[in-house]
Amino acid sequence: LRTMFAPLLRRQLPATLRLAALPRSAALMSRRGCGCQPLWPSASEALKEAKADSNALDSTKQRSLRRREHRWMSVTDMVTEVEQALVKGERLDRESEAYINLKHEAARIRLDNDEITAQVHELKKARRSYVAQEDEITAKLHEDGGFALNEATMTDVLQRLREVDLQLAAFRNQQQQNIRDVGHLKRTMSRIEKHGEVTSLVDRIDGTLHTSKAFDKNDPVFTELSELFIGLQTEFDKVAPKVLSYEQDLCSLTTMAQTTALDMAGKSFREADDARMTLVSHLQQAKRMLAHLARLSDIQILNAQEIGMLTRTQSQIRRHTQIQDLIKSANNDQITAKIILLQEDTSSLRNTIRDIEAGMESRSKESLAIISKLRSLKDVLSAETGKLREQLIASIHAEEQGKARLAALRGEKLQNIRFSAMLRSALPGDGV
């Protein structure tokens, strides 16, 4: 896939913003724009000194990666490029450029998180000193004249603490996004690995069958097919109970969250505020569980697709062997009967294809109607627009799945035609 990420080389993004090296830097901000206002004007060299003491080899490796210009698309765009390539049937594996780019991007993001962790460490050190100052000043406020003498200092310390906490929250937010991005990249690499193993074997088998050669029953290809099939099926079966368990836990958590939401009435401001924080915590956990449930479902979907490809290949080998045996028998009556059966099966496939295409045409019209309605509500965010968007995505998913199914059915139809040609060539004269 030579042109997989060609657009990346043509798209020059702004140079990546470095995380500030100083807990008091006026330029303190995260790499991806989650910056805050300057905490205070004075500067500290604490983080620079920490970096100078770090392992030279690791520092060299980090600099070599950091110095590369950030030309990549977003992680979402990279993953989408790979998914589209796989849907189109392009062959990707561990040696492909796409896989290598994903691997490099994951390494780069991990380095970003390491840098953020260092920033967080330095900010926490500064924060501890301000907390100590806060405690010291608080004790003085209760002394005679203490409030007047320490009010300005306390205000300054509290403001600095507030800004440090907000910056820490911004860093943690960026780390969460980085962790999610690495997860997306790793899942995409895993998909390439699995699909690459399956397609490599399927292509070898197709190449052999296209030469009209039959596989010996002791051929290693059968062991490879069996091992791949069992591995994918085993993983699929392991995921199933986890999905059920997560669905049950999610239902319980959602009930708890809604109970918390309804329990705010009649509470004081501070009690209600604490309850809201608890509610947000429950809802965030529910989001994480939904994300994990989606990851488990992705594994099942991918494995089901790969198992389907292997099963079709096994069927192709079996049918090819039957055709070869029939040709060797030189029984013209049986050969003729088989040709007729293949013709009937081809006709049945054609009817199935027509039915699927008719249903897809109907869905396509529905999608256009939903798009038209959404465009008329382009400035509206409501439950109605959310439901319409979900219906549109469901319709597009159904069309994508239908297209994949049509490709498989036409593959079977192509096999029938090829087998019929093999049988006809074995008959005397013009055959059937």
Side-chain angles (χ1 to χ4, degrees):
L1 183 60
R2 296 185 301 174
T3 59
M4 166 60 64
F5 291 121
L8 308 184
L9 301 178
R10 296 194 296 269
R11 185 184 302 182
Q12 177 63 54
L13 297 178
T16 305
L17 293 175
R18 279 188 169 275
L19 294 173
L22 314 172
R24 294 189 178 188
S25 170
L28 188 58
M29 61 181 65
S30 72
R31 178 183 58 81
R32 296 188 182 181
C34 59
C36 294
Q37 293 298 319
L39 297 184
W40 42 81
S42 59
S44 166
E45 298 296 326
L47 187 56
K48 287 184 178 179
E49 293 173 2
K51 286 185 176 180
D53 294 335
S54 64
N55 182 274
L57 179 60
D58 290 342
S59 297
T60 300
K61 182 186 296 184
Q62 178 167 333
R63 285 197 301 271
S64 67
L65 283 174
R66 279 293 184 180
R67 282 173 181 168
R68 288 189 320 208
E69 291 183 350
H70 190 84
R71 295 176 181 269
W72 308 120
M73 292 185 284
S74 69
V75 169
T76 300
D77 288 341
M78 293 178 71
V79 170
T80 300
E81 286 279 343
V82 171
E83 290 178 346
Q84 289 176 351
L86 294 176
V87 168
K88 289 189 292 186
E90 297 186 31
R91 297 318 196 212
L92 302 177
D93 56 29
R94 293 173 182 265
E95 305 302 321
S96 64
E97 183 181 354
Y99 185 91
I100 293 171
N101 285 338
L102 292 171
K103 191 172 183 179
H104 285 172
E105 182 68 2
R108 188 191 62 76
I109 293 174
R110 290 189 185 99
L111 286 177
D112 284 348
N113 259 3
D114 290 344
E115 193 169 339
I116 292 174
T117 299
Q119 295 290 332
V120 168
H121 176 71
E122 291 303 318
L123 279 175
K124 283 185 174 180
K125 284 171 59 178
R127 187 182 187 281
R128 283 193 294 270
S129 70
Y130 288 121
V131 170
Q133 291 179 45
E134 180 188 18
D135 293 340
E136 181 182 347
I137 297 170
T138 300
K140 293 179 180 180
L141 289 177
H142 300 293
E143 299 174 357
D144 291 339
F147 187 86
L149 292 172
N150 295 285
E151 177 189 3
T153 305
M154 175 61 95
T155 300
D156 182 58
V157 170
L158 291 176
Q159 181 62 24
R160 290 181 180 185
L161 270 172
R162 180 176 179 274
E163 290 173 343
V164 168
D165 285 338
L166 290 175
Q167 183 62 62
L168 285 170
F171 280 151
R172 291 309 191 190
N173 180 270
Q174 184 61 61
Q175 282 186 312
Q176 290 178 51
Q177 184 59 51
N178 286 351
I179 291 168
R180 283 192 291 267
D181 284 348
V182 170
H184 286 311
L185 293 168
K186 289 180 68 176
R187 287 194 296 277
T188 306
M189 287 189 285
S190 175
R191 181 175 182 181
I192 290 176
E193 291 166 7
K194 285 182 183 179
H195 193 65
E197 284 187 87
V198 172
T199 53
S200 176
L201 179 58
V202 168
D203 289 345
R204 281 196 286 123
I205 292 172
D206 283 344
T208 301
L209 295 181
H210 274 290
T211 61
S212 298
K213 292 181 181 179
F215 285 100
D216 182 82
K217 64 180 180 179
N218 295 321
D219 195 293
V221 75
F222 292 107
T223 301
E224 291 183 58
L225 269 172
S226 177
E227 288 177 351
L228 269 177
F229 184 91
I230 292 173
L232 291 167
Q233 187 65 56
T234 299
E235 186 179 34
F236 183 97
D237 293 339
K238 285 182 178 180
V239 168
K242 293 181 181 178
V243 171
L244 181 60
S245 175
Y246 258 78
E247 288 175 344
Q248 293 172 345
D249 292 344
L250 186 59
C251 181
S252 300
L253 183 61
T254 303
T255 301
M256 186 188 306
Q258 297 310 314
T259 301
T260 303
L262 295 172
D263 196 34
M264 291 185 190
K267 290 187 175 182
S268 67
F269 165 76
R270 191 157 288 117
E271 288 175 336
D273 201 42
D274 289 341
R276 273 190 292 272
M277 291 300 294
T278 302
L279 173 62
V280 170
S281 178
H282 288 330
L283 293 174
Q284 290 283 17
Q285 184 180 354
K287 284 179 63 177
R288 292 194 298 271
M289 293 178 70
L290 283 170
H292 189 63
L293 188 60
R295 290 192 292 272
L296 294 175
S297 298
D298 285 341
I299 292 174
Q300 288 189 306
I301 291 170
L302 175 59
N303 284 20
Q305 291 171 341
E306 303 303 334
I307 288 171
M309 185 178 291
L310 292 174
T311 302
R312 288 192 294 273
T313 300
Q314 289 175 326
S315 174
Q316 184 180 2
I317 294 173
R318 185 170 56 253
R319 295 179 71 197
H320 189 274
T321 301
Q322 292 172 352
I323 296 297
Q324 291 283 16
D325 291 343
L326 194 55
I327 291 173
K328 289 177 182 178
S329 72
N331 188 319
N332 293 340
D333 291 339
Q334 290 184 2
I335 290 175
T336 301
K338 184 63 176 178
I339 291 174
I340 293 172
L341 285 175
L342 287 172
Q343 290 174 340
E344 291 174 351
D345 187 50
T346 301
S347 178
S348 176
L349 284 171
R350 178 55 185 160
N351 291 334
T352 301
I353 289 171
R354 285 176 176 173
D355 291 342
I356 294 175
E357 288 178 337
M360 290 175 63
E361 182 65 26
S362 174
R363 287 196 187 92
S364 180
K365 292 179 180 179
E366 291 176 3
S367 296
L368 290 174
I370 294 173
I371 291 172
S372 177
K373 193 166 185 179
L374 281 171
R375 292 291 168 82
S376 68
L377 300 170
K378 63 181 181 179
D379 297 323
V380 177
L381 178 63
S382 64
E384 180 188 4
T385 58
K387 185 176 181 180
L388 286 171
R389 194 169 291 106
E390 184 60 33
Q391 290 174 351
L392 178 60
I393 292 173
S395 179
I396 292 173
H397 272 162
E399 185 173 356
E400 177 187 345
Q401 188 173 353
K403 292 295 185 183
R405 178 60 179 154
L406 286 174
L409 291 174
R410 287 199 163 93
E412 292 182 33
K413 188 176 177 181
L414 184 61
Q415 287 179 32
N416 285 353
I417 293 171
R418 187 166 65 247
F419 290 151
S420 294
M422 291 170 61
L423 292 171
R424 288 175 185 275
S425 64
L427 288 174
D430 295 331
V432 177

